[in-house]
Amino acid sequence: MRRKLAAGNWKMNGTSAELDRLATLAERHSAAGCDVLICPPATLLSRAAEALSDSQIALGGQDCHTASTGAHTGDTSAEMLKDAGASHVILGHSERRADHGESDALVRAKSEAAISAGLIAVICLGESLEEREAGQTLEVIGTQLQGSLPDSASGETVVIAYEPVWAIGTGKVPSTEQIGEVHDFIRARLEERFGAETGGSFRILYGGSVKPGNAAEIFAVSNVDGALVGGASLKPQDFGPIIDALAASAG
Ligand code: 13P
């Protein structure tokens, strides 16, 4: 069985003043019936690791370089994230694809670097509004999935996050039918490429305007194994109920 995962992406938010939110979350969720992951900015990783050392909450980075060391000013390697306390790293988020021109091939190379360093890669896919309106959603997702995942991927080393670009930070959420269609499609493609057992082992998260009020409905959709949460993950009073809804959906 795939264990559910509630992941929080803090994006470029948070300074040391916000670290106490992690302790609040850890106190509230010592025995959550699902996995919980927080991806704070890289500057907070090692202090977050100290704050969460007695908890079950995992930590992740939000990007990494393809190389482990070298002359790459401003970049962070997967090894460095791991050293700072991360077990996961988000890769190919649509904001990085848009702001930094990241291609599927680059996301794949970064994923290989992350896996080599012993991190779990949380690989993000998602269509734009124009692509959805042009009826290209499954084609776009299929291309991103094929190009961004390394051949060595498995459910132990990779988590997929489906995040429609138009749903991120907008309050607009696809219908449960639309979410289910894409998640079922991703599952079928994974099973085709990696075989039924390995393909069935990947967790597929939904991301984009997940809130306490819509979480339970989204978690009831087939092949939704959790969420990648942006804005609501910054507030324990919002992320807490989302985790509770996910744990409840796991039964
Ligand atoms: P929001 O939850 O703020 O829409 O962000 C989703 C996201 O991009 C998570 O990676």
Side-chain angles (χ1 to χ4, degrees):
M1 267 309 285
R2 299 183 297 268
R3 199 168 148 76
K4 308 274 180 187
L5 172 63
N9 175 9
W10 281 16
K11 309 191 178 185
M12 198 172 71
N13 297 291
T15 59
S16 44
E18 276 72 50
L19 279 170
D20 59 349
R21 296 181 188 180
L22 295 175
T24 307
L25 207 59
E27 269 168 36
R28 197 178 180 287
H29 290 286
S30 52
C34 60
D35 291 342
V36 178
L37 167 68
I38 299 283
C39 301
T43 48
L44 288 184
L45 264 179
S46 55
R47 274 177 296 169
E50 280 170 31
L52 292 176
S53 61
D54 290 331
S55 84
Q56 297 296 313
I57 298 177
L59 282 170
Q62 299 176 11
D63 175 49
C64 72
H65 197 273
T66 55
S68 50
T69 58
H72 302 289
T73 303
D75 278 311
T76 307
S77 72
E79 280 78 0
M80 290 168 173
L81 295 176
K82 184 149 182 67
D83 180 58
S87 52
H88 294 64
V89 59
I90 297 171
L91 293 171
H93 191 283
S94 63
E95 286 151 16
R96 291 211 59 89
R97 290 178 187 260
D99 295 354
H100 300 272
E102 292 197 2
S103 65
D104 293 336
L106 182 62
V107 175
R108 182 185 191 129
K110 288 183 174 195
S111 302
E112 280 165 356
I115 295 167
S116 298
L119 296 180
I120 295 172
V122 181
I123 301 177
C124 303
L125 320 168
E127 83 286 1
S128 67
L129 188 58
E130 297 71 43
E131 289 163 341
R132 176 157 286 273
E133 286 176 346
Q136 296 167 343
T137 299
L138 297 184
E139 187 188 326
V140 167
I141 297 299
T143 302
Q144 290 179 346
L145 183 68
Q146 179 63 29
S148 306
L149 256 71
D151 290 331
S152 65
S154 75
E156 283 178 12
T157 55
V158 167
V159 173
I160 315 278
Y162 168 55
E163 300 203 305
V165 178
W166 51 275
I168 295 177
T170 58
K172 290 188 195 140
V173 182
S175 68
T176 50
E177 289 75 21
Q178 288 172 319
I179 295 173
E181 180 189 31
V182 176
H183 280 239
D184 288 350
F185 171 79
I186 292 172
R187 178 71 63 210
R189 281 295 177 92
L190 290 170
E191 288 177 353
E192 247 170 63
R193 177 168 168 190
F194 296 99
E197 193 177 338
T198 301
S201 70
F202 289 87
R203 291 181 283 185
I204 309 174
L205 312 183
Y206 168 78
S209 297
V210 176
K211 307 278 182 246
N214 60 23
E217 189 185 19
I218 293 169
F219 296 150
V221 176
S222 85
N223 280 310
V224 171
D225 301 307
L228 181 53
V229 183
S233 74
L234 291 166
K235 300 183 205 138
Q237 68 270 29
D238 286 344
F239 198 42
I242 292 172
I243 297 168
D244 292 343
L246 185 61
S249 80

